[in-house]
Amino acid sequence: MAAELYPTSDPGAANRLGLIAEGTTRKVGQPFFDSLVHCLAEVLRADFAMVARLTDGSPGRAHTLAYWANGGLARSFAYDLKGTPCEQVLGRRVCSYPEGVQKSFPDDAILRDLQIEAYVGIPLVDSQGNSLGLMSALFLRKLNDLENEVADVQNTLRIFAARATAELERLQSEHQLRITQFMVDSAHLPVYRIDTGGCIRYANRSACVSLGYTEEELLGLSIWQIDPSVSAVGWQSMLHDLQELGIHELESIHERKDGSRFPVRVQASLMEYEGESYLAAFVHDLTRRKELEHLLDQSRRMESLGRLAGGIAHDFNNLLTAIIGYGELARQQARPGSSMRKRLDKLCMAAGSGARLTSQLLAFSRKRVLRSDTVDLNQLLSDTMDLLQPLLGEGLELVLDLAGDLGYVRGEAGQIEQVLVNLALNSRDAMPDGGTLRMATYNQSGDQAERQAAPHVVIEVSDDGDGIAPEHIPRIFEPFYTTKDQGHGTGLGLATCYAVMQQHRGRVELSSQLGRGTTVRLLFPRTDARLEAVVAPTNNATAAGNETILIVEDLEMLRTLAETQLSKLGYRVLTAVDGVEALELSRSYEGPIALLMTDVVMPRMGGCALSACMLEERPQLKVLYCSGYTRDAIVENGVLDPEAAFIQKPFTLKTLAARIRALLDKSGGLLELPHA
């Protein structure tokens, strides 16, 4: 058959072709190529024969699949095609050099080293016309043109090129299939092949790991055994959707071998292979995304509650200002030691407790930017001991474990102290029968904690109390969430701790076990700043004066209260309900006005706009702003200059008198007023 297609003058050609066919029949893969080059070398009387494939990603380079040399199979090798007859082969159907091939390709080291005289090669081209490789025979002798030897060699190569190409295509397909299988098996994304009956027929390694099964255990399970949300009816509905749309995507729940569940997103498509339909499913684990969504939702809820808490605190501070002020006025008129005086004392104490509660609300709502002082946490804990011991009672032992080389932090000592008090009270309530509360400090460098890129200073508060149930821990820092009995907690203690630590650019961590106690870690960014010198404020509690003060307040009860209080101290007091009325009063008043005390936010004209107008007309005027919000909340919203003198409601007469006197006596520069 082969001899008829390619007639040759050589009477033994048919026998030789038959030998090659017989030698390569029923062989595949490497045995086929080994047998092919052997037979080619024998029947063509070639000294060398080879089959080579082009190297993936390097079209100018080839690698031999089989190489016959010196009467036997030799080790395969890779070589560059440039400057070789093989390069010419890839551009033609067949390429022949009956003699002098070295002269035609002087840079070909293989031809030179082997002393090759003649060369015949043919490309291996697939059905799409793409070059896959080449097959060639090399001779140490010249080819005899008189005997049509060149044509015989060419015809022989042509006949077996098709078989070699088919085998090469098959090997490449298998290679690509193995690569694809490896990629799917190694993919981090779980991949499944499921038959139309819902039975899992394939699962990659990631799928097995995600569910905790071995491959043998997982194969053969039905889809509803790993996805509780899928039923047999639901499966048929999904198949119907896939037949209509070709692809289906949904969020669901997968169940591990141990019974635990986790959220997933499944992308499924329907495909057919050899007459059978299969579902290909790619599964994304949504655990981390759901956690982030929960944190975002929690953050939004905290922000909303914070705004609500800040608004409540603002209005409550206005009420407390009136309660404290009028309570003090009544207390001054009551006889010392009388029952009325005692009742008024309790009233003032209750109002003070209310003021502390609004302070926590404002801290939780982040309506105040904390003072940025350098704080020695060791000293702070030592100073707090005297405050904590009476709160804890005799049944609890308070132990301090302070690091000797503790770094400093930036923040506000008063707020950190409030956090420690809140934590100590929580520990006290968790140890009704007594126990030990331990407060420790230590440095944590950046490389000691996986998530810390910078060094931190840590306060660790731990107790051996009842502990917290695991189901409560995810919500433990939410405002108004408490595990205590009704009437024994506001639910603001830990929420305030969380808010204060956020304002300090730190973090709070909590771990707890039922019956074994709770540990809270406060992590503060460490600073290289040194401690500032602390200057004790002068006590001007009863400071009086005779200057003229203009009070601008839209709430009548507060306006009347301030007028009464300051008049008792000897000041001449003018009052106005808002900025417009105050400006008219200032322009009609002929005498000097020493100080403007104004609310920040008022109808028609606010305090900042009023002060700007009055300062143009009265350059020597001193201004004291007041508000139920904190200074920093107002500054943060761009309403108030950060260097303006400010007093926060509620305030006592003692605090108000001291601040007014300090402001009037100050000649210039930024005024640091004493805290309420």
Side-chain angles (χ1 to χ4, degrees):
M1 177 72 177
E4 293 175 2
L5 290 173
Y6 298 100
T8 172
S9 59
D10 186 349
N15 291 332
R16 291 196 297 272
L17 294 175
L19 288 173
I20 297 176
E22 184 179 348
T24 57
T25 300
R26 293 186 298 274
K27 291 183 179 179
V28 294
Q30 192 61 46
F32 165 77
F33 290 112
D34 290 345
S35 179
L36 178 61
V37 295
H38 179 197
C39 294
L40 286 174
E42 290 290 329
V43 301
L44 298 177
R45 291 173 295 156
D47 299 285
F48 304 91
M50 68 177 180
V51 179
R53 63 172 177 82
L54 295 180
T55 304
D56 293 339
S58 302
R61 191 169 175 81
H63 189 281
T64 58
L65 294 170
Y67 175 48
W68 186 270
N70 300 319
L73 290 171
R75 188 174 62 181
S76 295
F77 59 92
Y79 63 98
D80 293 323
L81 299 176
K82 187 175 180 58
T84 71
C86 296
E87 183 181 25
Q88 303 300 314
V89 170
L90 295 178
R92 307 181 186 183
R93 295 187 64 183
V94 68
C95 185
S96 301
Y97 295 90
E99 60 178 306
V101 68
Q102 286 189 56
K103 295 179 181 179
S104 300
F105 301 94
D107 295 331
D108 190 332
I110 294 177
L111 298 180
R112 183 175 62 252
D113 294 343
L114 298 178
Q115 294 298 301
I116 302 300
E117 180 65 24
Y119 174 97
V120 182
I122 188 169
L124 304 179
V125 182
D126 66 15
S127 58
Q128 304 298 319
N130 301 312
S131 293
L132 303 179
L134 57 96
M135 184 167 61
S136 59
L138 297 82
F139 304 84
L140 296 176
R141 59 182 173 81
K142 297 179 182 179
L143 297 181
N144 192 338
D145 286 339
L146 296 177
E147 297 179 1
N148 291 325
E149 188 175 13
V150 173
D152 289 341
V153 173
Q154 290 179 345
N155 290 337
T156 301
L157 292 178
R158 284 191 183 99
I159 291 173
F160 290 98
R163 174 71 176 87
T165 299
E167 186 62 22
L168 189 56
E169 283 188 285
R170 189 187 67 80
L171 288 179
Q172 288 191 339
S173 295
E174 288 184 355
H175 178 65
Q176 292 297 327
L177 184 61
R178 285 194 298 270
I179 290 178
T180 302
Q181 186 67 46
F182 173 77
M183 291 175 62
V184 174
D185 284 342
S186 304
H188 292 294
L189 198 68
V191 180
Y192 300 85
R193 177 167 57 86
I194 308 165
D195 64 25
T196 54
C199 185
I200 299 172
R201 297 303 181 187
Y202 166 80
N204 67 352
R205 282 193 292 270
S206 292
C208 297
V209 170
S210 69
L211 295 175
Y213 289 100
T214 64
E215 184 179 3
E216 292 75 15
E217 292 172 331
L218 191 54
L219 297 186
L221 293 182
S222 63
I223 188 64
W224 38 86
Q225 287 179 280
I226 68 168
D227 191 332
S229 65
V230 176
S231 63
V233 175
W235 173 252
Q236 294 302 319
S237 175
M238 183 186 299
L239 285 179
H240 180 268
D241 292 341
L242 283 169
Q243 290 169 349
E244 294 289 328
L245 304 174
I247 190 168
H248 187 69
E249 185 171 332
L250 73 157
E251 289 193 7
S252 188
I253 297 293
H254 276 187
E255 184 174 296
R256 299 184 180 92
K257 181 180 178 180
D258 63 7
S260 61
R261 297 183 177 187
F262 60 101
V264 295
R265 185 176 77 251
V266 181
Q267 294 174 306
S269 57
L270 195 64
M271 56 184 62
E272 288 194 8
Y273 180 73
E274 295 184 348
E276 293 190 47
S277 296
Y278 292 97
L279 187 77
F282 302 86
V283 178
H284 303 259
D285 188 337
L286 299 182
T287 302
R288 181 58 180 160
R289 197 189 82 176
K290 294 296 184 182
E291 288 175 351
L292 293 175
E293 287 177 351
H294 173 72
L295 290 174
L296 179 60
D297 180 63
Q298 185 181 42
S299 176
R300 286 172 175 167
R301 285 189 289 117
M302 294 277 276
E303 184 178 353
S304 298
L305 286 170
R307 287 196 296 268
L308 175 63
I312 292 173
H314 168 266
D315 294 342
F316 196 39
N317 278 339
N318 283 330
L319 295 175
L320 286 173
T321 301
I323 294 171
I324 291 173
Y326 285 112
E328 287 181 335
L329 289 176
R331 183 174 175 275
Q332 291 173 2
Q333 296 175 359
R335 188 177 71 256
S338 65
S339 58
M340 179 59 69
R341 179 67 174 261
K342 292 178 181 178
R343 293 186 187 117
L344 290 171
D345 286 342
K346 291 182 179 180
L347 172 66
C348 291
M349 287 177 61
S353 298
R356 287 190 292 274
L357 179 59
T358 59
S359 178
Q360 289 195 48
L361 283 170
L362 288 170
F364 159 68
S365 66
R366 302 184 196 178
K367 291 295 184 182
R368 60 189 308 268
V369 179
L370 302 180
R371 289 169 58 107
S372 186
D373 300 325
T374 301
V375 179
D376 180 349
L377 295 180
N378 278 348
Q379 186 62 50
L380 178 65
L381 261 70
S382 298
D383 293 343
T384 309
M385 282 284 289
D386 294 337
L387 173 64
L388 293 180
Q389 199 63 64
L391 292 175
L392 297 176
E394 297 180 355
L396 295 181
E397 180 184 9
L398 178 59
V399 178
L400 291 187
D401 182 7
L402 308 179
D405 58 345
L406 194 69
Y408 297 125
V409 302
R410 298 288 291 180
E412 186 172 327
Q415 286 299 306
I416 300 174
E417 182 181 272
Q418 181 65 57
V419 169
L420 295 175
V421 170
N422 288 350
L423 295 177
L425 292 177
N426 282 345
S427 294
R428 179 198 66 184
D429 294 342
M431 298 183 287
D433 299 325
T436 301
L437 172 63
R438 177 178 172 270
M439 292 188 175
T441 60
Y442 56 89
N443 297 313
Q444 180 169 281
S445 61
D447 57 359
Q448 280 182 299
E450 295 180 6
R451 295 186 295 173
Q452 295 300 318
H456 281 65
V457 180
V458 183
I459 299 179
E460 186 173 280
V461 181
S462 58
D463 63 54
D464 51 10
D466 297 334
I468 303 171
E471 62 268 22
H472 293 306
I473 291 179
R475 299 186 60 192
I476 203 67
F477 294 111
E478 291 184 13
F480 310 115
Y481 183 84
T482 179
T483 61
K484 300 176 183 179
D485 295 335
Q486 187 173 3
H488 289 81
T490 63
L492 281 174
L494 286 177
T496 301
C497 294
Y498 180 87
V500 170
M501 292 306 298
Q502 290 289 304
Q503 289 174 303
H504 280 83
R505 300 184 183 277
R507 195 171 75 248
V508 54
E509 298 177 344
L510 182 145
S511 59
S512 184
Q513 288 185 314
L514 280 176
R516 302 187 63 179
T518 300
T519 298
V520 178
R521 285 171 292 277
L522 309 174
L523 292 90
F524 298 86
R526 184 171 177 170
T527 180
D528 294 328
R530 309 304 298 173
L531 287 174
E532 297 96 345
V534 179
V535 179
T538 304
N539 186 3
N540 291 324
T542 58
N546 55 10
E547 294 91 342
T548 299
I549 298 176
L550 172 57
I551 297 174
V552 188
E553 169 61 63
D554 57 323
L555 293 179
E556 189 275 334
M557 63 178 176
L558 298 186
R559 190 170 61 251
T560 303
L561 172 64
E563 180 181 12
T564 303
Q565 288 176 323
L566 296 180
S567 296
K568 283 182 172 293
L569 294 176
Y571 294 104
R572 177 177 175 80
V573 180
L574 307 175
T575 62
V577 70
D578 58 29
V580 173
E581 182 178 311
L583 192 57
E584 294 174 353
L585 178 58
S586 172
R587 289 170 178 170
S588 64
Y589 185 72
E590 297 181 355
I593 298 178
L595 183 138
L596 168 67
M597 178 179 169
T598 177
D599 198 353
V600 177
V601 180
M602 296 179 294
R604 296 205 294 173
M605 178 184 289
C608 295
L610 169 63
S611 65
C613 293
M614 288 188 62
L615 284 170
E616 288 183 2
E617 301 171 0
R618 298 175 181 268
Q620 302 303 315
L621 180 73
K622 301 293 179 65
V623 181
L624 176 62
Y625 297 96
C626 61
S627 176
Y629 290 118
T630 65
R631 168 210 290 270
D632 299 313
I634 302 171
V635 170
E636 197 174 68
N637 290 319
V639 178
L640 185 66
D641 188 315
E643 296 189 355
F646 180 85
I647 184 170
Q648 182 186 338
K649 303 173 184 175
F651 44 77
T652 64
L653 175 58
K654 174 183 175 181
T655 302
L656 178 62
R659 295 200 175 185
I660 288 177
R661 193 66 260 161
L663 183 56
L664 290 173
D665 292 342
K666 186 172 178 61
S667 59
L670 177 63
L671 179 65
E672 291 294 339
L673 296 173
H675 289 284

